[in-house]
Amino acid sequence: MVIFAGRAPAKIIYMCVCFCKPCYETSLTDAQWAVIEPLLPLRDLRRGGRPLMFSRRLVLDTVLYVLGTGCAWRLVPHDLAPWDVAYRWFRSWAADGTWDRVRDAWRDRVRVADGRDPEPSAAVLDSVGEVSSGRREHRLRRGKRVRGRKRHLLVDTCGLVLRAVVHSASVQDRAGAKLVLTGIRDLFPRVGLVWVDGGYVNRVDSGLIRWAADNENVEIVAVPRNADVKGFQVLPRRWVVERTFSWLGRCRRLARDYERKTAHAEAMIKVAMIRLMAARLAGETIEPHGPIEAEAARRLTDDLDH
């Protein structure tokens, strides 16, 4: 709806009223919105400021559209919230810890729904390198002529993210693991065991085990790879975090490192997990689309059965 105030063109005021909700595959369903709505903050008009011209659901749908499609903020469809409004709220909720509170609350609920204790006692740690969009502050990954960043994930035994840290690709895995595990007992007091791959603990440097035991009271256990088996193999415990990386890979925004700030890159990971857990709590499932994803899911199921 367009309202004209005055006769001069400079005084034309545009007010957007959303009469119908846009329908995209990335948009929240009514059941998912019913789960997330109580956890999103409301603006207190008594503290000043103008009321929201766009609903929180429309703003969140815009953020999810950017996350799912991987498009630039300025290229969002016109029937969603304006890109600057959505980006401003995305940045604000990342700064005030809204994404963290929603993710932590839903992770506890998902664990309880799966018959587990809300507080995890074990976790799995791994990292993956992502090619950047060519920004200057991104470093070269050692051993590979690729400019980008690394995503370090600490997940529970269900594959839900406990902590995500994005750092330069030039940082070694053992140094990145210390960034993730620092203060982990303050956030999760029951976590006492962390499984890692052989790159974190080897004959050359096993300092991560001593550091974790002395500083964080956490036991690091390496799950080695069987050298006799060629090709893909499902490793005990480690496949959980690999599955989480595949969950995140469904979001095209996370297929490549497009964010300028590491805080925004970490926030995108949190939003992706929130989207996944919202579907679970709403009794819905997000199934992979396409023949490649379906074949990968079938092979993983067969390997787990054997």
Side-chain angles (χ1 to χ4, degrees):
M1 181 175 62
V2 180
I3 300 178
F4 297 95
R7 297 181 179 180
K11 295 183 179 181
I12 297 179
I13 302 176
Y14 295 94
M15 297 183 62
C16 299
V17 180
C18 183
F19 294 100
C20 59
K21 180 181 178 297
C23 182
Y24 295 99
E25 291 186 0
T26 57
S27 299
L28 293 173
T29 62
D30 294 337
Q32 295 172 8
W33 174 245
V35 175
I36 190 175
E37 183 181 10
L39 298 178
L40 292 181
L42 290 171
R43 173 177 290 184
D44 190 359
L45 299 180
R46 294 176 297 179
R47 297 184 178 180
R50 297 178 299 177
L52 289 177
M53 298 181 61
F54 303 92
S55 65
R56 295 175 300 164
R57 182 174 183 177
L58 188 63
V59 171
L60 187 55
D61 283 342
T62 307
V63 175
L64 293 176
Y65 184 88
V66 174
L67 175 66
T69 63
C71 73
W73 286 98
R74 296 176 183 268
L75 300 180
V76 296
H78 295 292
D79 53 351
L80 293 172
W83 73 269
D84 55 340
V85 175
Y87 177 71
R88 182 170 66 249
W89 281 103
F90 166 78
R91 183 179 57 188
S92 176
W93 287 343
D96 62 9
T98 297
W99 301 126
D100 293 307
R101 290 190 296 269
V102 176
R103 180 201 59 185
D104 295 341
W106 284 2
R107 183 182 58 242
D108 297 343
R109 293 179 58 181
V110 172
R111 288 181 58 87
V112 172
D114 291 342
R116 298 175 180 268
D117 192 277
E119 289 292 333
S121 58
V124 189
L125 177 67
D126 201 358
S127 68
V128 62
E130 299 295 335
V131 180
S132 71
S133 56
R135 301 190 182 277
R136 295 181 179 179
E137 65 269 17
H138 295 177
R139 303 294 183 86
L140 290 175
R141 186 177 180 183
R142 296 182 181 180
K144 297 183 179 180
R145 303 297 297 178
V146 177
R147 186 178 298 274
R149 287 176 175 154
K150 276 185 182 179
R151 295 172 184 160
H152 250 104
L153 295 186
L154 182 69
V155 303
D156 61 2
T157 54
C158 299
L160 306 178
V161 175
L162 301 178
R163 202 176 208 180
V165 176
V166 179
H167 54 77
S168 174
S170 60
V171 178
Q172 286 285 358
D173 288 343
R174 289 180 289 274
K178 294 180 180 180
L179 298 176
V180 180
L181 297 177
T182 299
I184 195 63
R185 294 300 296 266
D186 297 334
L187 299 176
F188 307 99
R190 294 189 57 194
V191 172
L193 178 64
V194 176
W195 288 287
V196 298
D197 62 12
Y200 293 89
V201 180
N202 51 37
R203 298 179 180 177
V204 178
D205 187 3
S206 60
L208 180 62
I209 297 179
R210 295 190 300 270
W211 177 89
D214 297 339
N215 295 274
E216 301 298 333
N217 195 19
V218 173
E219 180 184 1
I220 303 295
V221 177
V223 181
R225 179 184 176 88
N226 189 358
D228 298 333
V229 179
K230 296 183 179 179
F232 174 77
Q233 55 178 311
V234 178
L235 299 178
R237 304 298 181 181
R238 280 178 52 185
W239 69 269
V240 177
V241 66
E242 298 294 344
R243 183 184 59 179
T244 303
F245 281 121
S246 67
W247 289 343
L248 299 178
R250 299 177 186 176
C251 303
R252 291 192 175 184
R253 187 77 179 188
L254 298 177
R256 190 182 180 96
D257 186 40
Y258 293 103
E259 310 304 328
R260 184 175 182 180
K261 298 182 178 180
T262 56
H264 293 174
E266 295 171 0
M268 281 294 179
I269 297 176
K270 299 171 187 176
V271 176
M273 291 304 302
I274 289 173
R275 176 70 174 85
L276 177 65
M277 291 186 291
R280 290 190 180 184
L281 294 177
E284 303 171 358
T285 56
I286 303 178
E287 297 295 338
H289 299 284
I292 298 178
E293 291 82 359
E295 179 64 18
R298 186 191 65 80
R299 291 186 180 183
L300 180 59
T301 303
D302 294 341
D303 291 336
L304 292 178
D305 293 338
H306 294 310

